[in-house]
Amino acid sequence: MERLKTGIKNLDRILGGGIPLYSLNIVSGAPGSGKTIFVQNIVFNSARNGLKSLYLTTISESQFKMVRHLQEFKFFTDELLGDKFIYADLGDVARKQGPDKILGYLTDMVKKYKPNIVVIDSFKAIRDLFPDEKTFKAFVFDLAAALSIWEVTVFLIGEYEERELTVLSEFAIADGIFHLYGQEEKKFQKRYLRILKMRGTPFEQGEHLFEITRTGIKVYPRIKPAVEELQYEVKAEKKGFGIKDLDEMLNGGLPEGTITIISGGTGTGKTTFALKFLLEGAERGEKGLLLSFEEPLAQLKSNAYFLGWEMDRYLKNGLLDIKFISPIELDVDKHAFEIMDMIEKDRVERFVIDSISSFESSVSDIQKYKDYLWAIAQELKRRHITTIFTVLNEDLFSPLVITKTQISFIADNIIVLRYVESDSNIKKAIGILKARGINHSRDLREYEITPNGISILGKLDKANMLR
């Protein structure tokens, strides 16, 4: 099947390669939902690929006003106007000559310009010009018959409410339906699109986040858990922390391409262990990325300096990268794809998110949070990225609890850090709770974080220290 490439990143992927050629598509949504910009972005991208478009405005918005607004976007260029991008005022014909002249005008315009794409914006405004539903319905079916002869791909834009999508006659002839809408979530005003119908081709269902930026539309497909068995090569190589006794507890280190959770209370050193893992990789020439939602780069550099670790040279030579993102601005729908882009672009081998507890606080739906973690973990494993997620355990002296949100199912390996009481002192203990495919140590051992770095000490010698 031949397809119209929209040129919008991720949208063609959702559509299985693009919109089927010669299809009739309705783009619906409330005022301000981004319908016109969505279609304009597709049309200008198509014009750059040599396709000609006929864009017919109606009484809802003049072409002059529309062009003035589009000049703010980088996808717009006036060099394409008049050649690959032809504007015309269908509203003037409808008002002065009556709605029964619309089809004849459309036919003449298509014969004159021979476009590849025809857009009517707004088609809902045309509906309102007809005296009754019966007359409009006859026009709609005549239009559908004409479009099938013209061999053009069509976009009809309209301010339709969602309840109208299943009852109005124009939706019966539509091959594809895009519905755009917005809603507020956790202080974010978000925009979503759903593909309700796309005849003759599979597509990814569900709501997909999108943004309107100066460069145009950006789509972030719905994060979804993999429903098929993950196929990836299991590698025998290990990636160590560079902490001799801890690597011995792990029988050599973390297996390459696995997911590890480091869980612990505040101040137990989760970030420090994760940072040491990346520095050890950098020392071996492996690129590492730390995505921090809690400590900015300056604070991490200060901590590393206290421990006697050299970070600057790895930051300068590109073997270590640290990105700080405020949890206040965190949007998991968007950042999941940005993370994968960074990993692919920089060929990251070791990756840390510090901490995924911040993700939880930004998602209103706990099931969505779990689905997100499952999906991103599966993708990281498929790419053989050895990954650490740090998790905050708010109960400082709890038994070996990982997290209250039951996310341990995503992890191949779990390392627990916790406080213990001993002779009126507070000590720290580390244990390997789980390490898939490794004959790991079952010991609970004390550890210290000092200006000399991390030191793993002896086994806990008193059972009552964990009470």
Coordinates of all heavy atoms in Angstrom, one line a residue, residues 227-260:
V227 N 3.7 -6.9 24.7 CA 2.8 -8.0 24.9 C 3.4 -9.3 24.3 O 2.9 -10.4 24.6 CB 1.4 -7.8 24.2 CG1 0.8 -6.6 24.9 CG2 1.6 -7.4 22.7
E228 N 4.5 -9.2 23.5 CA 5.1 -10.3 23.0 C 6.4 -10.6 23.8 O 7.0 -9.8 24.4 CB 5.5 -10.1 21.5 CG 4.3 -9.8 20.6 CD 4.7 -9.5 19.2 OE1 5.9 -9.4 18.9 OE2 3.8 -9.4 18.4
E229 N 6.8 -11.9 23.8 CA 8.0 -12.3 24.5 C 9.2 -11.5 24.0 O 9.4 -11.4 22.8 CB 8.2 -13.8 24.3 CG 9.4 -14.3 25.1 CD 9.7 -15.8 24.8 OE1 8.9 -16.4 24.1 OE2 10.6 -16.3 25.4
L230 N 10.0 -10.9 24.9 CA 11.1 -10.2 24.6 C 12.2 -11.1 24.0 O 12.6 -12.1 24.7 CB 11.7 -9.4 25.8 CG 12.9 -8.6 25.6 CD1 12.7 -7.4 24.6 CD2 13.4 -8.0 26.9
Q231 N 12.7 -10.8 22.9 CA 13.8 -11.6 22.3 C 15.1 -10.7 22.3 O 15.1 -9.7 21.7 CB 13.4 -11.9 20.8 CG 12.1 -12.7 20.7 CD 12.3 -14.1 21.2 OE1 13.3 -14.7 21.2 NE2 11.1 -14.7 21.6
Y232 N 16.0 -11.2 23.0 CA 17.3 -10.5 23.0 C 18.4 -11.5 23.4 O 18.1 -12.5 24.1 CB 17.3 -9.3 24.0 CG 17.3 -9.6 25.4 CD1 18.4 -9.6 26.2 CD2 16.0 -9.9 26.0 CE1 18.3 -9.9 27.6 CE2 15.9 -10.2 27.4 CZ 17.1 -10.2 28.1 OH 17.0 -10.5 29.5
E233 N 19.6 -11.2 23.1 CA 20.7 -12.1 23.3 C 21.2 -11.9 24.8 O 21.5 -10.8 25.2 CB 21.9 -11.8 22.3 CG 23.1 -12.6 22.5 CD 24.3 -12.2 21.6 OE1 24.1 -11.2 20.9 OE2 25.3 -12.8 21.7
V234 N 21.3 -13.0 25.5 CA 21.8 -13.0 26.9 C 23.3 -13.1 26.8 O 23.9 -14.0 26.3 CB 21.2 -14.1 27.7 CG1 21.8 -14.0 29.1 CG2 19.7 -14.0 27.7
K235 N 24.0 -12.0 27.3 CA 25.5 -12.0 27.3 C 26.1 -12.4 28.6 O 25.5 -12.1 29.7 CB 25.9 -10.6 26.8 CG 25.5 -10.3 25.4 CD 26.1 -9.0 24.9 CE 25.7 -8.7 23.5 NZ 26.4 -7.6 22.9
A236 N 27.2 -13.0 28.5 CA 27.9 -13.5 29.8 C 28.8 -12.4 30.4 O 29.2 -12.6 31.5 CB 28.7 -14.7 29.4
E237 N 29.1 -11.4 29.7 CA 30.0 -10.4 30.2 C 29.4 -9.7 31.5 O 28.2 -9.5 31.6 CB 30.3 -9.3 29.2 CG 31.2 -9.8 28.0 CD 30.4 -10.5 26.9 OE1 29.1 -10.6 27.1 OE2 31.0 -11.0 26.0
K238 N 30.3 -9.3 32.4 CA 29.8 -8.6 33.6 C 30.4 -7.2 33.6 O 31.4 -6.9 33.0 CB 30.4 -9.3 34.8 CG 30.0 -10.8 34.9 CD 28.6 -10.9 35.4 CE 28.2 -12.3 35.7 NZ 29.0 -12.9 36.8
K239 N 29.6 -6.3 34.2 CA 30.0 -4.9 34.4 C 30.1 -4.6 35.8 O 29.0 -4.5 36.5 CB 29.1 -3.9 33.6 CG 29.2 -4.1 32.1 CD 28.4 -3.0 31.4 CE 28.5 -3.2 29.8 NZ 29.8 -3.1 29.3
G240 N 31.3 -4.4 36.3 CA 31.5 -4.2 37.8 C 31.4 -2.8 38.2 O 31.3 -1.8 37.4
F241 N 31.3 -2.6 39.6 CA 31.3 -1.3 40.2 C 32.7 -0.7 40.4 O 32.8 0.5 40.7 CB 30.6 -1.4 41.5 CG 29.1 -1.5 41.5 CD1 28.5 -2.7 41.2 CD2 28.3 -0.4 41.7 CE1 27.1 -2.8 41.1 CE2 26.9 -0.5 41.6 CZ 26.3 -1.7 41.3
G242 N 33.7 -1.6 40.3 CA 35.1 -1.2 40.7 C 35.2 -1.1 42.2 O 36.2 -0.5 42.7
I243 N 34.3 -1.7 42.9 CA 34.4 -1.9 44.3 C 34.7 -3.4 44.6 O 33.7 -4.2 44.4 CB 33.1 -1.4 45.0 CG1 32.8 0.0 44.6 CG2 33.3 -1.6 46.6 CD1 31.4 0.4 45.1
K244 N 35.9 -3.7 44.9 CA 36.3 -5.1 44.9 C 35.4 -6.1 45.6 O 34.9 -7.1 45.0 CB 37.7 -5.2 45.4 CG 38.3 -6.6 45.5 CD 39.7 -6.6 46.0 CE 40.3 -8.0 46.2 NZ 39.6 -8.8 47.3
D245 N 35.0 -5.8 46.8 CA 34.2 -6.7 47.6 C 32.8 -6.8 47.1 O 32.2 -7.8 47.2 CB 34.3 -6.3 49.1 CG 35.6 -6.5 49.7 OD1 36.0 -7.7 49.9 OD2 36.3 -5.5 49.9
L246 N 32.3 -5.7 46.6 CA 30.9 -5.7 46.0 C 30.9 -6.5 44.8 O 29.9 -7.3 44.5 CB 30.4 -4.3 45.8 CG 29.0 -4.2 45.1 CD1 27.9 -4.9 45.9 CD2 28.6 -2.7 44.9
D247 N 31.9 -6.3 43.9 CA 31.9 -7.1 42.7 C 32.1 -8.6 43.0 O 31.5 -9.5 42.3 CB 33.1 -6.6 41.8 CG 32.8 -5.3 41.2 OD1 31.6 -4.9 41.1 OD2 33.7 -4.6 40.8
E248 N 32.8 -8.9 44.1 CA 32.9 -10.3 44.5 C 31.5 -10.9 45.0 O 31.2 -12.0 44.7 CB 33.9 -10.5 45.6 CG 35.4 -10.4 45.1 CD 36.4 -10.5 46.2 OE1 36.0 -10.7 47.4 OE2 37.6 -10.4 45.9
M249 N 30.8 -10.0 45.7 CA 29.4 -10.4 46.1 C 28.5 -10.7 44.9 O 27.6 -11.6 45.0 CB 28.8 -9.3 47.0 CG 29.5 -9.1 48.4 SD 28.8 -7.7 49.3 CE 27.2 -8.4 49.8
L250 N 28.8 -10.0 43.8 CA 28.0 -10.2 42.6 C 28.7 -11.2 41.6 O 28.2 -11.4 40.5 CB 27.9 -8.9 41.9 CG 26.9 -7.9 42.6 CD1 27.2 -6.5 42.0 CD2 25.5 -8.2 42.4
N251 N 29.7 -11.9 42.1 CA 30.4 -12.9 41.3 C 30.9 -12.3 40.0 O 30.9 -12.9 39.0 CB 29.4 -14.1 41.0 CG 30.2 -15.3 40.5 OD1 31.4 -15.4 40.8 ND2 29.5 -16.2 39.8
G252 N 31.4 -11.1 40.2 CA 32.1 -10.4 39.0 C 31.5 -9.1 38.6 O 32.1 -8.4 37.9
G253 N 30.2 -8.9 39.0 CA 29.6 -7.6 38.6 C 28.2 -7.9 38.0 O 27.7 -9.0 38.1
L254 N 27.6 -6.9 37.5 CA 26.2 -7.0 37.0 C 26.3 -7.6 35.6 O 27.0 -7.1 34.7 CB 25.5 -5.6 36.9 CG 25.4 -4.9 38.3 CD1 24.9 -3.5 38.0 CD2 24.6 -5.6 39.2
P255 N 25.5 -8.6 35.2 CA 25.4 -9.1 33.9 C 25.1 -8.0 32.9 O 24.2 -7.2 33.1 CB 24.4 -10.2 33.9 CG 24.3 -10.6 35.3 CD 24.5 -9.3 36.1
E256 N 25.8 -7.9 31.8 CA 25.6 -6.9 30.8 C 24.1 -7.0 30.2 O 23.6 -8.0 30.0 CB 26.5 -7.1 29.6 CG 26.4 -6.0 28.5 CD 27.4 -6.2 27.4 OE1 28.6 -6.6 27.7 OE2 27.1 -6.0 26.2
G257 N 23.5 -5.8 30.1 CA 22.2 -5.7 29.6 C 21.1 -6.0 30.5 O 19.9 -6.2 30.1
T258 N 21.3 -6.0 31.8 CA 20.3 -6.3 32.8 C 19.9 -5.0 33.5 O 20.5 -4.0 33.5 CB 20.8 -7.3 33.8 OG1 21.9 -6.8 34.5 CG2 21.1 -8.7 33.2
I259 N 18.7 -5.1 34.2 CA 18.2 -4.0 35.0 C 18.4 -4.3 36.5 O 18.1 -5.4 37.0 CB 16.7 -3.9 34.8 CG1 16.4 -3.7 33.3 CG2 16.1 -2.7 35.6 CD1 16.9 -2.5 32.6
T260 N 19.0 -3.3 37.2 CA 19.3 -3.4 38.6 C 18.6 -2.3 39.4 O 18.7 -1.2 39.0 CB 20.8 -3.4 38.9 OG1 21.5 -4.4 38.1 CG2 21.1 -3.5 40.4

